[in-house]
Structures are given as C-alpha cells and as structure tokens.
Amino acid sequence: MSELLKGLNPAQRRAVEAIAGPVLVLAGPGSGKTRVLTHRIAYLIKTVGVDPYNILAVTFTNKAAREMKERLEALIGPADAHALTVGTFHSLCARFLRRDIVHLGRERDFAIYDSDDQDRLMRRVLKDLNLDEKQYPPRAIHGRISSAKNELVGPEEYARLNRTYYDEIVARCYERYQRLLRESNALDFDDLLVETVRLFDEHPEVLEKYHQRYAYLLVDEYQDTNRCQYVLVKQLAAGRRNLFAVGDDDQSVYGWRGADIRNILQFEQDYPDAKVLLLEQNYRSTQAILDIAQAVINGAGKRKHVKKLWTENGEGLQVSLHEGYDQNEEANFVADEIARLAAAGGLRRRDFAVMYRINAQSRALEEALEARGIPLQIVGGTRFYDRKEVKDVLAYLRLAANPFDSVSLLRVINWPGRGIGERTEAELIRWANELGVPIFQALRELADEESAARAPFNARTRGALLAFLAIAEELIAARRELPLADLIGRIVDRLDVREALVREHGPDEGEDRWSNVLELGNKALDFVNLPVEEQLGAYLEQVALIADVDNMDPQADAVTCITLHQAKGLEYPVVFLIGLEEGLLPHSRSSDDREKVEEERRLLYVGVTRARQRLYLCYAFRRTSYGRTNVTTPSRFLADIPRELLKQPKKRGTAVIAPDSPLFGGRGGSSPKSGGRASGASSWGSSSGASWGSSGRGAAGGRERGRPAGPTEVTFFAGQRVRHGTFGEGVVMGSRLVDGDEEVTVSFADRERRLLASFAKLERVEE
DNA sequence: TCCGCCTAGGTTTTT
DNA sequence: CCTAGGCGGA
C-alpha cells in the first residue's frame, strides 16, 4: 500500500484515492479534511503520476494555502510542492487577470480596492450624482452593488431587473461606480472574481489554456462559495471534470457575503456523475464536546446532509457553563481560568483561544489578560494595513504603480498638508469630469501653460497642485529604478512623513504612527528577491488580499482572541466561547430572520467544534455596548443543550439555574411559570429568549409582563440595607432613574454593584 | 485653509 | 465608548 495512505481511515482513503470525475466530500468538523486534501494532492503526484504543474487548489484563506503548501513540502518535497498552484479565489483571480487582462482591453497594473477604498469611491459617486449621504448611506448602496456582483448581475442588468425607486438610485450609482473604477484602472474585491468569469466567458481561448493546464481542481470550504465563485469553479472544471470539492453545509457561516449554501446542496444535480463521500469520524474533540455540538446543530430545522459525528477520543471533561456579572467579570473569569489551567501544567498559552461574535468584545478580554500578565494576540479588528498613516504612505506607492488610481490620488493630494482644500479638490474633480479624463491626466494638463489658462485655479492653487504632481511624477519615474524598500524610503524622506505625523498627532502618538510606517518598510524587505520591476506590484497585491488571520503567529506563546468567523478551520485544546447572549449570538441584526438565525446557530457550532479538550460557554448578566448597559438574555441556542451535559456553575456570584428554567426547557414561546423557581435562581430570570436586551424587561423576576413605562421616581435611598438573592446583604449607596428603570447602586461585602430594581429582586432589610 | 472643539451617530461577521 | 464629520473662529 502506498506510504501516503497510511494512517488514514477507510473513508479518508476513499476520498484520497478517488481519481477521476467530480467528487464531493462532506466533512464534519475535525474529520481530517485538510489532511485528505493534502494527501490527495500528494497521492495524485506521487502515485498517479500527475505533474504538480497541472494541479490547482483553492482554499478559503491565504493562511490555509500557506499551511497546505508547508505540509506538502514535508510530504512530497519542496520542488513538487512549489510547482502546484494553491491560493484563495481572490488571489488566484488577481493572478489570472494580471496575466490575461489585456484581453479585456485593460492595463495590467490595475489597483485592487479594499473596503475603505470602495467606500471612498462610493462617496465620490454620491457627490457626483448629488445624492445625500444621509439618505443613501454609501456602505448600504455599495452593499447592494456588491451583492449584485456576487450574483454576476452587471449595472445594465441591474437597472433592467429592479423597479423600486431605491433600486433605481442604486442602479445609477452602480453604473457610475463602475465607470470610475475603470477610469481609475482599478478593480474592487468583487471585480476580481467577476472579471475573471467574464474573461473566461468572452475569451474561450484563455479558458482553454487553463483547462489544458489544470487537469485537477480542488476546492476547500465549498459551502462558502458565492454564485460568482460557483460559476468560476464550473468554468474551470468544465475541461477535465476532475473537481474535488470539500465542505460542510453545517459550517456555512458566510451567507451575508453572498455564500450560497445551495452550491453544496445541489452538487449532485450539477454533476450527476459525482461521488459523494462522508467524513464523520471526529479526531479533534472529546465526546463531551461533540455532544454539545450535536445538540446545538440538531436544534436547527431540517438539514439536507445529516452527519452523525462520533469519536474514539473518549468522553473527556464536562463542558462548563458560566455566567458572569458583566463583560468584565466574564473576561476576568476567562483570564483566571487560563491562569489556573496554565499553572496546573501541561498547557501553554497558545493552547487557549477565546472566541466571540464581534470584534468589540475583545476589549474587555485584552484588559483582563493584560492585567494578569498573560500574553495575547488579537486576530482581527483593525488590520495593520488599515491604519491611516499606513494607508497614506501606501497611497503614494499605489499612485506610483498606477497614477490613474483616483482614490489613492485624492487620499493624499493634501497629505501631508500642502494647501489643497475641499474646495480645490471639488474643482479639480469637476474639471477632470469636464475634460473627460482621469484626475491624474487633468493634473498633467495643468502643467501646460495653455491648458492651465482655461483651468479654474488661481496661481497659488495651481502651484500647490503642481507641487503634488511633481512628487507623483518623481515616484512614477523612481518606481522603475528603485527597489521597493528604497522607494518607500524616498517617499518618507521626500514628504517628511515623520515630521508630519508628529505635527498632526503630537510627539507620543506621532512616533507611534511613525513606527507603523517603519514597519511597512520592514514588510517590503520580504520582496527583495524579486526583480525590481515586479516588487511593487507583488507587494501591493499582497497588501490588498492578505487577511488578518493570515498574519497570526502560530509560534507565539500567546492566548488567541478571535471572532467566530475567523476561527473557522482552527483548533485549540481549550476554547472559551463568550457573550452567548441574545443580540450577540444570534446577533441582533440577524435575530429577526429565520435563515440568518440558523446561520448564527452554525456559527456557534463552528465555535464549539474548535475545542479539543476543554470548552467553556460563557455569557454575562449585563453587558455594556455603545456605553449603555443592558440586562441580557442568554442565547436561545443554550436552551437546546440538555442541562445534564453541562457543568453547572457553583461559585458564589454566579447564577444557579433553576430546574424549571426556560434555559433548559423546550424551545419556543412558553413563558416561565412565575412560581416554583428556587430562591437565588438565575439572576437574569428572563423569558424564552424570543427577545433580548431592554425589551427583555418586564418579564423579569416574576413581575408582570407588559409593565408600562416603569417607575417615575426612585424607591431606594442611600443608607438603606437590602438583601439580594445571590449577592447577600448590602447597603444602598444611591439610586437613579435610567431609561425608565431604577438603577440602584449597592455596596455588597465584596464590592459595589449596580442593579436594576426591576430585575434584581432587592428586599429591604428592616433594622 | 486650517485648527480645534463639539455632538450625534454607529458596529456583525471578511476576501 | 469612540470616531468621523460639522461648525465656528483665526
């Protein structure tokens, strides 16, 4: 038997050995699908004798691509590993287009616009069309356009298909937006895919070239493909039909960005001769963790592919459920547990991950971990390349690569300040529109005395504009001669970036930002081995397409803090899932739509199945967001977990969940019985979880639901002694009305707490 | 045009 | 809470 098949179970082996024709592998979490992918590639090369040059593998992140290459290097040697093509849809499309975009009558040095660039361009579109940003939020409009692109609907078709007034506005913006992109010789993220599909569509000879080359096509995370990616796969696979798609419909969490779960559900219709293989054995987690995962996912409606997860890993430790008082206590609990487990030995910092729904949740964690001296790495939030000073310097580089890139041009035309204000900028745009040329071209016209005479600028303004043009021209010229690192050096010297940053932000922050700019220079050193003329393009492409998760340092011995979305594909011995509350998971923006709620459920499923040995499910009794504090309702998904699967919290200061608590009852609208709850019962005490946040009030603590406005005056006064079911006796420090509720500050034995009178069931203690 | 103060409004998730 | 944008003054 081949060396490469050793250590694989029969199902995995079948997948690896499937040679020809379409194959769909439905792989449960932790079932070794990455292993199957890499071993299949290795098998194709080493056993079947396929030339690695003829293999194309598409992964979901650059990180996954890199890791796959590394594994293959070990498996089949660096030469073969290097010869095959691995990348994300976006990076591959960028590469294809660089090679062949001239077929579409375009220039090769196109810029790639990220979300910030897209937003800026959309604002300009709205200005051009005299539309009010308040009424038509640029991001909302762009969202519509992006969805249309994902569906391969162009501006004309969009205009034809849609009938409402709003649609009509969007259609006009779409048309203009595309026109400006083209004028700027730029593609946005969506265009990378759309234009590749178009290229293949309009130029069969180009597609044919890829059919010849890529005899074997492998696609990971197939459930996350959108319509456009689906078509692209179809185009590429149409040649030899050796498509090997791997995915898990239960882990589909990218519907919001166009991923269409139907792509995986309809695989068999699309490819009638497809083999469908199931990977159900889990090698990652303990049975206790899988039971939780199963409970969560079984709470979903009917599913097309029901996988029965099982493992030989043994029962393992019971999963813990923990209620914190607020997000700080929640974070403290997490940090204390990490410290405790790390001290107990056997676990390193990097064995821990804390996962959450939204990036903003990382803040409290950061504080708690730092307070204990526990190193952490936060994945996500603001990317390094999204920092203003970094983007500003980058804009000059982008301008050097492609002077028609109007977003970059306008970004830095007055940075550092050179006396070109809003007024001048608007005039410049207007004038360029009038001439019908890109903005950079208009600037060049200005250098010519005769044209300048007709331009709407006075001598001083013209001087400022020409000063900017001179810098741009200098960089464009330097680009061909200087290595990338020197080009960056030229920019920061010529513009005195450090001085500008200190002037703008003061010495402390200024130096901070300056160090980010220096870091930018460091990253450029990765490209020194390329020929000078290729360095800039390669660098800019990487900057545009790299994700934050791609930068994670797996070597660092630090606790990982990461969103559930980014955590997909990762695994850790110990996982904390925090903020399991209505409004957060499911997120409030998703709670009203059945489909979206199901996606949120799958997100929790993804989180649960990241854990290998220990799993903690956490939520807080109160949470502060936007500076407002609200009482929370535990996530409805917790109600799908049988209570006996969970270790109950015992610590003082945490809730003891009553046997008849709706948390462990059935799902759906049955409201809790008002009697029968054990004293000291759950301090959140709320209802079925159909609503959350402030609307969760009123059903609290056996009080009447639908209570009208709330108290109009305080009923507690400083100095009174009170008793609370959980916290014991305390003294009222003060009380005030907040949002139609009474917030009482009470000093308990351990510390001061603020409680809402409607929830907290405070009894007055007579003396 | 630039600077600084102020407030109103906003955050899902990412290539 | 934080930040971007609006507005007044120089």
Side-chain angles (χ1 to χ4, degrees), chain A residues 483-497:
Chain A
L484 180 58
D486 295 351
L487 189 61
I488 296 176
R490 176 73 67 87
I491 292 171
V492 298
D493 286 350
R494 186 75 165 69
L495 301 167
D496 228 339
V497 168

Side-chain angles (χ1 to χ4, degrees), chain A residues 365-477:
Chain A
L365 274 173
E366 190 176 3
E367 283 169 17
L369 289 168
E370 268 171 6
R372 288 163 185 74
I374 301 172
L376 73 155
Q377 61 177 335
I378 295 180
V379 182
T382 336
R383 289 189 329 155
F384 171 74
Y385 290 111
D386 287 339
R387 289 164 207 262
K388 184 182 177 300
E389 63 279 12
V390 172
K391 284 216 80 172
D392 285 340
V393 173
L394 272 176
Y396 279 100
L397 284 176
R398 296 171 68 172
L399 209 51
N402 169 20
F404 301 112
D405 177 347
S406 59
V407 168
S408 294
L409 188 150
L410 293 175
R411 179 179 185 105
V412 290
I413 195 169
N414 194 39
W415 186 86
R418 54 175 73 84
I420 299 170
E422 206 180 319
R423 176 77 204 278
T424 307
E425 186 184 311
E427 271 310 309
L428 178 64
I429 293 173
R430 207 191 52 71
W431 192 52
N433 284 345
E434 193 181 303
L435 295 176
V437 299
I439 295 174
F440 187 74
Q441 189 59 40
L443 280 177
R444 277 182 167 163
E445 294 290 330
L446 210 54
D448 178 71
E449 293 292 339
E450 224 175 286
S451 317
R454 290 191 297 276
F457 303 109
N458 62 33
R460 200 174 65 98
T461 309
R462 176 171 174 244
L465 289 170
L466 288 180
F468 173 73
L469 176 68
I471 292 168
E473 297 279 20
E474 182 185 328
L475 294 175
I476 291 164

Side-chain angles (χ1 to χ4, degrees), chain A residues 229-291:
Chain A
Q229 291 163 330
Y230 163 85
V231 170
L232 193 61
V233 169
K234 242 184 162 172
Q235 287 177 322
L236 285 168
R240 315 282 188 93
R241 299 177 50 75
N242 290 323
L243 170 62
F244 188 85
V246 182
D248 180 1
D249 39 334
D250 289 333
Q251 293 186 65
S252 157
V253 293
Y254 281 97
W256 52 272
R257 69 172 204 213
D260 191 342
I261 198 165
R262 283 175 304 181
N263 293 348
I264 196 166
L265 298 181
Q266 293 175 0
F267 193 87
E268 290 160 273
Q269 278 99 296
D270 293 329
Y271 304 94
D273 53 334
K275 289 193 195 73
V276 177
L277 302 169
L278 249 59
L279 297 182
E280 295 178 300
Q281 181 174 2
N282 177 293
Y283 294 91
R284 178 185 295 152
S285 310
T286 63
Q287 189 61 49
I289 290 166
L290 282 190
D291 287 345

